[in-house]
Amino acid sequence: MELESNLNETSSSWTSNLTKKRVAFIGTGVLLATAISIIVVISVKSSSKAPLALSVFKDKMNLIKDEIKWISYSTDNYSLTDALPGSTGSVDKNSVYLCRAEQLAYLLPGTFDQTDALCKVAYIRVRTNRKFDLLVTRNPSRLVWEKESAIGLKESSGRLKIGAISGGYSNNEELSVARFDYHGYMALGDLSLKYKEARGPAAGFEQHSEYYDVLYVADYAL
Ligand SMILES: *[C@@H]1O[C@H](CO)[C@@H](O)[C@H](O)[C@H]1NC(C)=O
């Protein structure tokens, strides 16, 4: 009788150990998957401030998991549900959304205009795309536009805070998402840290600005 109960204890503690191990294993897998999916969206750039504690970092990643993502669309099948508008303001400024499209060997963030349902990116000239991704978020308060400028970037040694949304790449450089006002029209495009200027399509041409907003995950850059 005593032996049997001992056996039972041993076996149940062994099972619970195994369960714990399995749970830990699954937990690691989920974290890894989360980390990989987040890396696609967020460029983690060096910051002048101290890095986040790892546990806080993981918590934040879990929070934004599935909340912010790029979804593939075309001119024929797009939906603006949960798409990020360029600005809240005049009706005209509301009619553009953040998109990105492949251009030559690059991936460039740009402006999706409802009036023609095309994603326009600026690369030497304005290039229109029928295939594109829209940045979608179920919780718009997780994203915030923060003012930045060429002068400000020079002062911070050309670095952005952690949490800037990555919009693509060109010339071996990761591009952040930026927007700027061009004579009352909101141009959505990219920021090159090399040139410290935002670039976007407006009035039919590639436009540049030394004053712009950069898109960040809110409450991420502490
Ligand atoms: C829309 O069409 C494009 C191109 O045909 C396709 O890659 C994409 O998956 C489609 N998106 C949806 C949400 O159906």
Side-chain angles (χ1 to χ4, degrees):
M1 195 62 194
E2 209 173 284
L3 181 68
E4 194 183 283
S5 93
N6 264 346
L7 267 179
N8 271 344
E9 257 168 40
T10 316
S11 113
S12 76
S13 82
W14 186 79
T15 315
S16 93
N17 241 345
L18 188 73
T19 312
K20 267 184 213 149
K21 270 186 194 149
R22 194 174 297 154
V23 166
F25 182 72
I26 291 168
T28 312
V30 168
L31 276 179
L32 205 63
T34 306
I36 289 165
S37 63
I38 294 308
I39 283 162
V40 176
V41 173
I42 299 165
S43 59
V44 180
K45 297 207 172 74
S46 45
S47 157
S48 53
K49 292 176 184 171
L52 294 175
L54 188 60
S55 59
V56 179
F57 188 73
K58 282 177 183 165
D59 283 351
K60 282 177 181 284
M61 280 188 165
N62 272 328
L63 266 177
I64 58 179
K65 181 179 68 161
D66 291 334
E67 281 192 11
I68 304 165
K69 56 189 163 196
W70 292 98
I71 296 189
S72 295
Y73 286 119
S74 75
T75 298
D76 305 317
N77 71 2
Y78 78 91
S79 155
L80 290 175
T81 307
D82 297 336
L84 186 75
S87 162
T88 49
S90 71
V91 173
D92 179 52
K93 285 182 182 179
N94 262 334
S95 69
V96 293
Y97 292 80
L98 184 61
C99 67
R100 69 175 184 188
E102 282 177 31
Q103 205 65 69
L104 308 172
Y106 305 143
L107 180 64
L108 305 172
T111 310
F112 175 82
D113 199 327
Q114 272 186 92
T115 52
D116 52 16
L118 297 168
C119 175
K120 299 186 182 81
V121 299
Y123 187 72
I124 305 170
R125 58 180 175 81
V126 173
R127 295 160 194 269
T128 57
N129 299 275
R130 295 179 62 84
K131 280 193 71 176
F132 49 83
D133 301 333
L134 291 178
L135 189 73
V136 168
T137 175
R138 264 183 264 146
N139 185 358
S141 66
R142 298 294 302 168
L143 290 167
V144 58
W145 293 99
E146 286 192 25
K147 283 201 185 311
E148 193 48 88
S149 66
I151 297 165
L153 265 186
K154 273 174 201 145
E155 282 168 0
S156 60
S157 322
R159 288 187 192 143
L160 293 174
K161 288 182 295 185
I162 290 177
I165 297 286
S166 173
Y169 47 85
S170 74
N171 294 321
N172 293 325
E173 189 191 10
E174 191 171 14
L175 299 170
S176 297
V177 171
R179 71 175 185 187
F180 56 94
D181 186 87
Y182 182 80
H183 301 294
Y185 176 82
M186 188 56 73
L188 301 168
D190 61 63
L191 167 66
S192 155
L193 289 180
K194 214 184 284 174
Y195 300 110
K196 300 181 179 55
E197 278 188 349
R199 171 179 64 174
F205 292 97
E206 172 183 316
Q207 309 290 353
H208 293 252
S209 179
E210 293 203 334
Y211 296 89
Y212 39 84
D213 298 330
V214 177
L215 188 62
Y216 285 93
V217 177
D219 190 33
Y220 191 90
L222 293 177

